[in-house]
Amino acid sequence: MAMDLSILAAVISSNIDIPVESGWCMCGEVGLSGEVRPVNRIEQRIAEAEKLGFTDIIIPKNNATGMNTKRFHISIHPVRKVEEALKLLFG
């Protein structure tokens, strides 16, 4: 599911009692070994997040390959592993 990474971030946020900063969103499927797998229609998802006012989005690295990110006005953060996403979100 494309919301695996979001659910995981919400659970971790609750567990460590640190909120995810306003303006961040994410999409990606999470594998058992912590890899962030690509999702369908990534450019449509990024455009929708931008329309909703998000400033940053975390996406699977494999989805970013060959994508023209310059047409978006949202900061795109490609990651390969869950650990990379958590460092972006929680430092």
Side-chain angles (χ1 to χ4, degrees):
M1 280 201 259
M3 64 182 163
D4 286 357
L5 188 56
S6 299
I7 292 169
L8 187 63
V11 169
I12 301 265
S13 171
S14 176
N15 190 38
I16 63 175
D17 202 27
I18 299 174
V20 173
E21 282 187 39
S22 173
W24 281 82
C25 68
M26 61 217 75
C27 61
E29 192 173 304
V30 176
L32 292 176
S33 63
E35 75 275 12
V36 180
R37 297 180 184 157
V39 296
N40 294 330
R41 299 184 315 270
I42 191 66
E43 292 188 31
Q44 182 181 2
R45 293 173 193 276
I46 294 170
E48 189 65 25
E50 188 176 74
K51 273 194 261 180
L52 291 171
F54 288 100
T55 57
D56 295 85
I57 185 168
I58 298 173
I59 65 167
K61 184 91 166 177
N62 288 342
N63 276 130
T65 306
M67 182 191 318
N68 178 13
T69 59
K70 293 192 181 5
R71 68 186 187 106
F72 298 108
H73 297 92
I74 184 172
S75 295
I76 300 171
H77 306 274
V79 297
R80 290 186 195 276
K81 302 288 263 174
V82 169
E83 293 85 14
E84 296 172 48
L86 296 179
K87 282 182 185 176
L88 286 168
L89 293 170
F90 306 113

